[in-house]
Amino acid sequence: MTATILVDTKPSTLFITPKKPYYTTANNFHLVQFSIQNHNFSSTMPPLKRRLKGYYSSSKNWNFKNSFRSAAASSATESPQLDKGSNNNNGDGDGDGQRKVPGLNTLFRRFWKVAAPYWFSEDKEPARLQLAAVFALTLGTTGISVGFNFLGRDFYNALANKDQEQFTKQLLYYLGAFAGGIPLFVLRDYAREILALRWRSWMTKFYMERYLKNQTFYKIQSQSIIDNPDQRIVDDLSSFTGTALSFSLTLFNAAVDLISFSNILYGIYPPLFVVLLAYSIGGTAISVFLGRELVTLNFLQEKKEADFRYGLVRVRENAESIAFFGGEENEIQLLLQRFKSAFENLTRLLVSSRNLEFFTSGYRYLIQILPAAVVAPMYFSGKIEFGVINQSVSAFNHILGDFSLIVYQFQAISAFSAVIDRLGEFDDVLDSSSSKCLSSSVEEISLTYCDERSSLLLESNGSILMDRCQKVLDLENLTLQTPTSKAILIRDLSLVINKKDHLLVTGPSGSGKTSLLRALAGLWNTGRGKITFYVNEGNDPQAPTSSEVPALKVNTADDTAEELEGPINRNDRGIFFLPQRPYMVLGTLRQQLLYPTWADDVIPTSDGGNPAGSLPFLMRNSSSGTSGGKRSKPTTDDLIQVLEDVRLGYILSRFGSLDSTHEWSSVLSLGEQQRLAFARLLLSKPKVVLLDESTSALDEANEEHLYRQIEAAGMTYISVGHRRTLYGHHNRNLNITTVDPSSNERNWHVEPINRDSLYNILNPYRSVGPRSQVFLEMNGRHCFTTAKCEACESIVHQQKHSSIPTALGVGKVLFFVSEALTMKYVLVTGGVVSGLGKGVTASSIGLLLKACGLRVTSIKIDPYLNTDAGTMSPFEHGEVFVLDDGGEVDLDLGNYERFLDIKLTRDNNITTGKIYQSVLEKERRGDYLGKTVQVVPHITDAIQEWIERVASIPVDGKEGPADVCVIELGGTIGDIESMPFIEALGQFSYHVGPGNFCLIHVSLVPVLNVVGEQKTKPTQHSVRGLRGLGLTPNILACRSTKALEDNVKAKLSQFCHVAAENILTLYDVPNIWHIPLLLRDQKAHEAILKGLNLLGVAREPDLQEWTARTRVYDILHEPVRIAMVGKYTGLSDSYLSVLKALLHASVACRRKLVVEWVAAGDLEDVTATEAPDVYKNAWDLLKGSDGVLVPGGFGDRGVQGKILAAKYARENKVPFLGICLGMQIAVIEFARSALGLHDANSTEFDPETSHPCVIFMPEGSKTYMGGTMRLGSRRTYFKVPNCKSAKLYSNASFVDERHRHRYEVNPNMVPQFENAGLSFVGRDETGRRMEIIELPSHPYFVGTQFHPEFKSRPGKPSALFLGLIAAASGQLDAVLQNYGNESKLLPNGISNGKPSVKTYQNGNAIKSSNGSLNGVYSNGNGVHH
């Protein structure tokens, strides 16, 4: 990321500003304040104050908010947010206390304005019918209530008279009335909710259309007219529709109730009716008095809560910028200030509610006895029966509830009033958008689109001039002002842009460069003058001539703009705008490329087949905004080609396909986003392009490449930028200066740019390098430009101070520096025997080079015919390692990822099957033009092309290719299947040339026990065979039980033609974490760097952290025992990544890992009969372990044993982790034991089971096994935020983990499991696919459908493995409590739930002398080396 470094006079002070500055959410000058406070800029304050003269008040406390507007014209016009009105208090509390309570007239007016449009809309007929149905149901429910009143009277009379027969009869009437009435009440509420939802849907569309029309959303945001419009559309509309219907029905019901029950009550006892009136009127008056502040407080609470929530959203969206600024403390203060404001307002709201509740509670409880007390004398005198008392109480309550509606609903009414006020205010703003109330300027800039034929300049005889003279843009007397302060930015600009012109707009910051683009885009119209675009209005061959072509005004000073239908689409008119930070739509990579020109084709209208369901008004007819036909949508091949054109071809292999979906603004760097925007541009092929710092995140080479692309496409472009390199891509320069308020002179000038002059000034230095950058000092400013040279390829650091007259002024060439390193390759081969540790060696070499400051990638070549490792048995080739893109690859790629902390792609694993498949596909397509396809050259060429292509794919999260590619050739020299690869690599070494290729040969120097002498003959023969195949080793890495003796090295050097200092010893060490240190101590990095001509580039390797973690691991002694219950326990490589993840976690918890290998079949009852000793030993190991892990697998062998292990762990509270199949096993066991479903099973093991807990995924294939599973990185969302898993993942809302499965938990049985206590805490984005299970009642019982072991790294242990080890060693509570607390270090060395000293491992099988396997101590149960 490009950054500006500001250094204070104090040497310890450093301040870094990122590419995208961050503006705090309070007044904008807080940015300067916290920069000064946190970074000790006191010495820079005097010049800072001089530069910001007028930006702060004369008082001691700087007041940025009010004075900022006056300075916007001169220094802050580059962002619309910098010219703000005074309406937005930003949640700081300014003015909140002075907000006036809206009057009843205002509230009723706004209520009617918001509510009425729907009932007179195109949906009015169904809406009114539904409303009538709701009112009819309400009448019905009121009638039922009256009936209940009379039934209650007779019921209690029978009870008082002890008339059992009458009592039974009335009871049956009661029950019948209940049975018939309750559905009516339910249907009434359901109909009301459905109508509210329909109303809300219409209003949401209604308000969104108005919000996004006429750029109202932009005006509201840029001028801060109102706060939080998004909350008003989402929350307030939902509250308004639901509450409005509820209140309407409540009033209607109250009116009906009042009529019905007043007659009853008045007929019983008229004085009681009088008492009721007096009681309700008095209560209402007191309630209004006590709750008079609630409307204001509710309004403010909505605003303050929204402001606080918006502050948190801004932190999330600007996380990187805040981290760069180091502004965490400032953000905490601002957020706490907003929360404090909301808290204080809520406290006042609660106090007011409490005071009101004191009265309403007494008011409500008093009516329980008041009616009985009034009518009791009549009962005592025998004038009425006992049931009449109950009837009077019921009628009294009904009528009082109607009269006291304000008393009971006062808090709800006050909250609803706040909603009405906010929506009414929003509605007024939306109405004013089209009537110019958002901009009070008298004059406006006229923006006009004319047909392109009207721009042709004609000769006197009527013939058309050359194409070069066709106008595309005409600016006439344009004076541009800021929207609010009306400060002049550009004065009286007149300019004509012709076809294929390339204009560069420059000037100091704040001069109005970007504001000019806003005016051209129609975003700003404050000022005067005319902007005319000459665009293609259609394809009609009979279109009128230039004199007859009408102009289309978009926004002018008159009212003609109102005649337009729909928004103007600049893209369809051949005008394309590229901002500095492109907009990344939510969708697939294909949608990113097609946006915005073909947005209608790629954005689905709904999730289902019926686009709008039962709501036709939600259907929106898209319009292109042009009269011409729509251009054809690019094909998939076109999209792939355009990615290659902008140098983004590698992202297809990185993300899998064009239809992959990601959060693109997060997964792509800013430079990649900018190149993606250029891809959109090349696909759309507009006539005019407006670029606003669109290459700011790119290096000069990519910038030059992209500008050449759009220039070659014949586009006219206008660029705003500060880079001097931009001059080389434009032919005219519009320079804008700051307006002088005291002068009426124009503040701009246009001059041509002579590209030849820019190029010729660099001619004396062409011999610097093939593509070198020249650092110039021009007029006191520094800039980079590019010299195209033909000579030396080395990196040259020279200083040239000769003055050079240039088109830009007099400058100095300060120094030259190479643009980029040529890719270097390190090949690791093996000889004598297999299993020597080539993977360890290759990974260690990569780590060593990375420690030297180089970027490293890796490639593994496997000579087998399989296209990938997906269908291989673990016994055959070890585990299948899964990558982010779903590639099923050799386990050595897991070693590379763990060592180098990188993310490889499926193409980083080359197999014979892949190479032959690609060649045969080319042959079938006819790419070889009829030639005979042979191993040489076609197979060998394909191998070389594959290596070069994959080596350029960035794998470390940074942009651009790596510096060094480490290639491991699998197998042993002399194997027949590896011959094509050896031939190809021999050709490849010649192709890339000396200094770019280094071969390291790993061989064996055995020691015969009989004589105790190190034998060199096997290595001599191996090297002789290698040289006979065309490859000569630069370095020998000799495996032996002890260090090579000097005479042995001399002998090898003599017979193998390798310098003695390039012969390395890889002898046995306590654990393989020592291998990189061993290589460093023998100066292996110097030998490699020398062979690659990198000695002057790389630094000394920094392995301090590696050395520390190696020492820490060596001293671990307290064991933690984990029972690994699996199917492939005979070969530890079958679970290599699981072992390494356990190791990372155990080191983090300061425990020595001991793996108890338990064959799952040995736990089954059949083994107790056939081999009781094996059975007993297996159960002893299981019961003696501190934790149980059931890894993934396939097939039914050992399944019952795994189920028994899961049951033992669950019932005995032993920490348990189930991975993939292990999770499914846990679910099956729970179904059998807890749910009593004894035949519960997976359809993988029993297709006919009556209780399928685990089922086959519908998208899977049972025909083809390879690559048909659910593979690669998928997102899991946490549905239970406080679960252990979420805490271990640092309380993240989601995680991305790798998958490899074709069966899943049956979603239809999930409710049964959850009711029984099994919690599915993690699910996929649909919520239907179960990803993580937990047993809340268990200390640690977790299962995952994904494989967390594939992303575990030394120093970054997998969260769930860390939880297992922590639970097994009694540290889980401490880990959960302290996770994320950096200041707290646990006694066992865990800080934040992570190791205080990070660990690392490579996972290959070099056996140590102490009998441990890769540092993992085992019980020796079937573990093979």
Side-chain angles (χ1 to χ4, degrees), residues 1184-1395:
S1185 300
D1186 303 312
V1188 177
L1189 191 149
V1190 179
F1194 299 91
D1196 58 356
R1197 182 168 64 85
V1199 166
Q1200 185 57 34
K1202 295 176 184 178
I1203 292 175
L1204 291 172
K1207 182 177 182 180
Y1208 167 79
R1210 182 179 59 82
E1211 293 179 345
N1212 293 278
K1213 306 296 184 182
V1214 177
F1216 173 88
L1217 177 61
I1219 300 172
C1220 197
L1221 176 61
M1223 181 187 107
Q1224 299 171 7
I1225 290 294
V1227 171
I1228 294 171
E1229 188 280 322
F1230 191 86
R1232 293 180 180 182
S1233 301
L1235 298 182
L1237 307 176
H1238 301 296
D1239 63 338
N1241 213 331
S1242 167
T1243 56
E1244 181 182 8
F1245 315 131
D1246 182 9
E1248 303 302 324
T1249 178
S1250 57
H1251 295 96
C1253 301
V1254 180
I1255 59 175
F1256 189 82
M1257 291 188 298
E1259 66 267 35
S1261 171
K1262 294 184 179 181
T1263 305
Y1264 294 94
M1265 294 294 104
T1268 59
M1269 290 185 280
R1270 185 170 179 251
L1271 295 166
S1273 181
R1274 308 290 180 122
R1275 184 156 291 181
T1276 296
Y1277 293 85
F1278 288 105
K1279 302 301 182 181
V1280 183
N1282 293 323
C1283 64
K1284 296 183 182 70
S1285 302
K1287 291 179 179 178
L1288 288 169
Y1289 277 106
S1290 303
N1291 293 315
S1293 60
F1294 63 85
V1295 293
D1296 294 319
E1297 292 283 8
R1298 299 176 183 177
H1299 295 68
R1300 185 175 184 254
H1301 65 106
R1302 52 169 52 94
Y1303 288 83
E1304 64 176 343
V1305 175
N1306 187 348
N1308 296 327
M1309 294 188 67
V1310 168
Q1312 291 178 257
F1313 290 117
E1314 291 189 326
N1315 291 336
L1318 186 64
S1319 181
F1320 292 85
V1321 300
R1323 306 189 184 193
D1324 74 339
E1325 66 275 4
T1326 66
R1328 294 272 301 167
R1329 186 158 283 159
M1330 305 303 117
E1331 295 281 8
I1332 307 176
I1333 65 166
E1334 278 190 19
L1335 203 56
S1337 59
H1338 195 283
Y1340 191 84
F1341 193 93
V1342 177
T1344 68
Q1345 189 60 74
F1346 51 77
H1347 290 261
E1349 70 270 22
F1350 290 144
K1351 285 194 173 183
S1352 183
R1353 303 285 186 268
K1356 303 175 186 176
S1358 168
L1360 300 181
F1361 279 87
L1362 179 66
L1364 175 66
I1365 298 297
S1369 57
Q1371 304 178 60
L1372 181 60
D1373 291 339
V1375 169
L1376 295 178
Q1377 180 180 356
N1378 294 283
Y1379 211 96
N1381 184 357
E1382 296 182 356
S1383 62
K1384 207 162 186 177
L1385 181 67
L1386 300 181
N1388 60 10
I1390 298 177
S1391 177
N1392 327 325
K1394 300 177 182 177

Side-chain angles (χ1 to χ4, degrees), residues 339-505:
F339 180 75
K340 179 183 177 184
S341 178
F343 172 81
E344 291 173 348
N345 187 79
L346 183 58
T347 302
R348 293 194 296 270
L349 180 62
L350 293 176
V351 170
S352 296
S353 299
R354 179 202 62 193
N355 296 337
L356 181 61
E357 190 66 22
F358 274 130
F359 170 72
T360 56
S361 296
Y363 183 89
R364 188 179 298 111
Y365 285 113
L366 184 59
I367 65 173
Q368 303 298 323
I369 60 172
L370 185 61
V374 174
V375 299
M378 297 179 64
Y379 172 71
F380 294 142
S381 63
K383 295 181 179 179
I384 60 174
E385 295 177 329
F386 178 77
V388 176
I389 297 178
N390 178 70
Q391 185 182 22
S392 64
V393 171
S394 176
F396 188 91
N397 287 339
H398 273 276
I399 299 173
L400 186 63
D402 302 332
F403 277 124
S404 305
L405 186 63
I406 295 178
V407 178
Y408 293 151
Q409 302 288 339
F410 194 85
Q411 294 189 46
I413 291 173
S414 63
F416 185 48
S417 301
V419 170
I420 294 173
D421 195 22
R422 286 171 58 81
L423 276 179
E425 183 182 46
F426 186 39
D427 199 274
D428 292 342
V429 170
L430 296 180
D431 282 348
S432 65
S433 173
S434 59
S435 60
K436 305 179 186 178
C437 293
L438 296 186
S439 177
S440 58
S441 63
V442 177
E443 294 181 287
E444 286 188 355
I445 297 170
S446 171
L447 177 59
T448 307
Y449 295 94
C450 291
D451 191 280
E452 61 184 351
R453 286 179 290 270
S454 65
S455 70
L456 296 177
L457 305 182
L458 303 181
E459 296 279 16
S460 58
N461 61 0
S463 62
I464 298 177
L465 287 174
M466 58 184 298
D467 181 63
R468 181 77 176 86
C469 297
Q470 183 179 348
K471 288 193 296 184
V472 296
L473 174 62
D474 191 359
L475 306 179
E476 301 178 45
N477 305 115
L478 177 66
T479 296
L480 180 62
Q481 297 174 297
T482 57
T484 304
S485 65
K486 305 302 182 292
I488 295 178
L489 303 177
I490 300 175
R491 178 178 284 127
D492 199 26
L493 173 62
S494 294
L495 181 66
V496 173
I497 305 296
N498 294 319
K499 188 176 181 181
K500 296 185 180 179
D501 266 357
H502 310 313
L503 178 71
L504 175 63
V505 183

